[in-house]
């Protein structure tokens, strides 16, 4: 590529390409030709996030708003408009998510915008009725068509029509969380919702509509998942948890049915047995 700094912020695979978002440039890897190609799409912008919508348009989140590349390769640039209340709420677009109804959710430094089928942007404050902000890092739609949005100020849950919002956060008597910083949201094969946060691993209980926090440690008590960054379900009954300073903790999910909040990990991968260090931000389970 002949570039001194190829800092990769985001990746997206479609049927033809793997799109590669860099600081200042968007590349694409051609699956057919097995080579990386440079593009002039949104050139000069820091590419923070990538997604495809239901029309197969490429959505490009940058630190200069949102770019949309349609199937005819026409590029549209969308930025915040202070005169228009239903524009983007912020121009630094960290995350993108396209739901089953074709709505596009845009996470920025100043909260979340939602672009519906009519290209109208909706602020989260319109959904919650509250002025409170949240910098969102994770967005997920579950098997019940509920939308979950987690960030620096707790976790927001709505139904598929963006109604009946519930905001889980620290200090809330009815919808409490042990910490407001949400790093990851996962739904496992059984439909159970898990969140990784700076307050550890939490499981959503469908009966009580509340989150249960677990204290996960290794057999020695030296390593723990008190700061959890990502959760992966391996499909054979175990959760793999990326932690801050605790390495990777692996736990059989049956242990969470014991009724207790203290869980002993089945095994832990740390610097002592294979990792470069114990600070792990991401996990991915492949085929």
């Amino acid at each position: 590529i002949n570039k001194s700094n190829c800092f990769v912020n985001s990746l997206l695979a479609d049927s033809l390409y793997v799109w590669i978002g860099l600081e200042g440039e968007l590349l694409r890897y051609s699956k057919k030709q097995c080579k990386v190609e440079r593009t002039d799409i949104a050139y000069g912008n820091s590419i923070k996030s990538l997604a495809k919508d239901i029309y197969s348009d490429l959505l490009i989140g940058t630190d200069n708003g949102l770019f949309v590349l349609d199937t005819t390769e026409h590029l549209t640039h969308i930025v915040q408009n202070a005169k228009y209340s239903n524009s983007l709420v912020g121009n630094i677009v960290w995350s993108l998510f396209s739901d089953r109804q074709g709505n596009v959710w845009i996470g920025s430094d100043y909260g979340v915008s939602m672009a519906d089928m009519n290209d109208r942007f909706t602020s989260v404050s319109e959904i919650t009725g509250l002025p409170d902000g949240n910098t969102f890092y994770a967005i997920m739609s579950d098997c019940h068509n509920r939308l979950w949005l987690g960030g620096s100020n707790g976790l927001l849950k709505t139904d598929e029509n963006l109604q009946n919002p519930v905001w889980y956060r620290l200090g809330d008597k009815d919808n409490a969380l042990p910490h407001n910083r949400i790093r990851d949201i996962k739904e496992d094969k059984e439909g159970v919702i898990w969140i990784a946060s700076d307050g550890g691993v939490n499981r959503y209980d469908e009966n009580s509509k509340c989150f249960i926090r677990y204290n996960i440690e290794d057999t020695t008590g030296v390593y723990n998942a008190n700061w959890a960054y990502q959760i992966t379900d391996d499909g054979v009954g175990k959760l793999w948890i990326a932690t801050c300073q605790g390495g990777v903790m692996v736990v059989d999910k049956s242990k969470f049915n014991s009724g207790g909040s203290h869980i002993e990990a089945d095994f832990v991968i740390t610097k002592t047995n294979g990792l470069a260090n114990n600070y792990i931000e991401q996990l991915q389970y492949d085929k």
Side-chain angles (χ1 to χ4, degrees), residues 51-68:
K52 282 288 188 81
D53 66 13
I54 62 170
Y55 306 108
S56 295
D57 295 340
L58 178 65
L59 310 175
I60 307 165
T62 75
D63 55 7
N64 182 29
L66 176 68
F67 291 82
V68 181

Side-chain angles (χ1 to χ4, degrees), residues 89-145:
V89 296
N91 285 330
I92 302 178
V93 180
W94 288 100
S95 56
L96 292 163
F97 174 72
S98 180
D99 66 24
R100 296 183 182 96
Q101 289 74 39
N103 305 309
V104 175
W105 296 82
I106 303 134
S108 78
D109 272 0
Y110 290 95
V112 166
S113 299
M114 189 274 286
D116 63 22
M117 295 293 287
N118 298 313
D119 294 328
R120 175 182 180 272
F121 289 93
T122 303
S123 170
V124 165
S125 63
E126 294 181 59
I127 300 171
T128 63
L130 299 171
D132 307 46
N134 200 341
T135 302
F136 288 97
Y137 309 116
I139 305 173
M140 188 199 72
S141 179
D142 68 16
C143 63
H144 302 290
N145 293 332

Side-chain angles (χ1 to χ4, degrees), residues 17-66:
Y17 303 106
V18 177
W19 297 89
I20 307 165
L22 304 180
E23 290 288 325
E25 192 170 9
L26 180 65
L27 308 178
R28 64 186 181 190
Y29 171 77
S30 171
K31 296 180 180 179
K32 184 176 181 180
Q33 298 178 354
C34 297
K35 70 175 184 179
V36 175
E37 305 168 345
R38 306 187 80 154
T39 78
D40 59 359
I41 302 167
Y43 187 82
N45 290 276
S46 174
I47 313 299
K48 303 291 189 186
S49 52
L50 296 164
K52 282 288 188 81
D53 66 13
I54 62 170
Y55 306 108
S56 295
D57 295 340
L58 178 65
L59 310 175
I60 307 165
T62 75
D63 55 7
N64 182 29
L66 176 68

Side-chain angles (χ1 to χ4, degrees), residues 237-255:
K238 287 183 170 57
L239 290 183
W240 293 61
I241 305 161
T243 77
C244 174
Q245 304 303 328
V248 176
M249 313 202 84
V250 185
V251 186
D252 193 299
K253 287 192 290 185
S254 64
K255 292 186 176 181

Side-chain angles (χ1 to χ4, degrees), residues 41-284:
I41 302 167
Y43 187 82
N45 290 276
S46 174
I47 313 299
K48 303 291 189 186
S49 52
L50 296 164
K52 282 288 188 81
D53 66 13
I54 62 170
Y55 306 108
S56 295
D57 295 340
L58 178 65
L59 310 175
I60 307 165
T62 75
D63 55 7
N64 182 29
L66 176 68
F67 291 82
V68 181
L69 183 72
D70 66 21
T71 54
T72 67
E73 299 202 350
H74 173 73
L75 187 68
T76 302
H77 186 199
I78 302 168
V79 295
Q80 185 181 27
N81 185 341
K83 295 181 179 179
Y84 182 44
S85 62
N86 291 325
S87 75
L88 279 174
V89 296
N91 285 330
I92 302 178
V93 180
W94 288 100
S95 56
L96 292 163
F97 174 72
S98 180
D99 66 24
R100 296 183 182 96
Q101 289 74 39
N103 305 309
V104 175
W105 296 82
I106 303 134
S108 78
D109 272 0
Y110 290 95
V112 166
S113 299
M114 189 274 286
D116 63 22
M117 295 293 287
N118 298 313
D119 294 328
R120 175 182 180 272
F121 289 93
T122 303
S123 170
V124 165
S125 63
E126 294 181 59
I127 300 171
T128 63
L130 299 171
D132 307 46
N134 200 341
T135 302
F136 288 97
Y137 309 116
I139 305 173
M140 188 199 72
S141 179
D142 68 16
C143 63
H144 302 290
N145 293 332
R146 297 173 300 196
L147 192 71
W148 301 84
L149 304 103
S152 62
N153 191 18
L155 180 70
L156 180 66
K157 177 188 74 173
T158 74
D159 62 23
E160 60 183 326
N161 298 314
L162 307 182
Q163 301 297 314
N164 304 310
V166 180
W167 204 322
Y168 295 92
R169 48 185 167 174
L170 186 67
D172 191 297
K173 183 178 69 173
D174 299 318
N175 305 300
L177 284 178
H179 201 285
N180 279 342
R181 176 104 178 192
I182 310 302
R183 302 279 185 170
D184 190 28
I185 312 166
K186 280 293 188 304
E187 181 179 30
D188 66 17
K189 288 184 65 177
E190 292 75 35
V192 178
I193 306 298
W194 302 85
I195 61 170
S197 75
D198 286 7
V201 173
N202 298 256
R203 176 178 63 86
Y204 181 68
D205 183 77
E206 295 286 353
N207 295 320
S208 66
K209 308 300 180 187
C210 295
F211 278 92
I212 301 170
R213 182 186 184 276
Y214 294 97
N215 179 29
I216 303 172
E217 296 180 331
D218 73 333
T219 55
T220 66
V222 172
Y223 300 105
N224 60 63
N226 290 343
W227 284 3
Y229 283 177
Q230 193 171 42
I231 300 174
T232 298
D233 181 7
D234 66 6
V236 291
K238 287 183 170 57
L239 290 183
W240 293 61
I241 305 161
T243 77
C244 174
Q245 304 303 328
V248 176
M249 313 202 84
V250 185
V251 186
D252 193 299
K253 287 192 290 185
S254 64
K255 292 186 176 181
F256 295 97
N257 299 324
S258 64
S261 61
H262 185 271
I263 303 293
E264 186 177 292
D266 290 73
F267 63 93
V268 180
I269 309 171
T270 65
K271 188 177 180 179
T272 62
N273 59 353
L275 294 179
N277 61 64
N278 295 333
Y279 184 97
I280 311 299
E281 290 194 70
Q282 297 184 34
L283 291 169
Q284 181 63 46

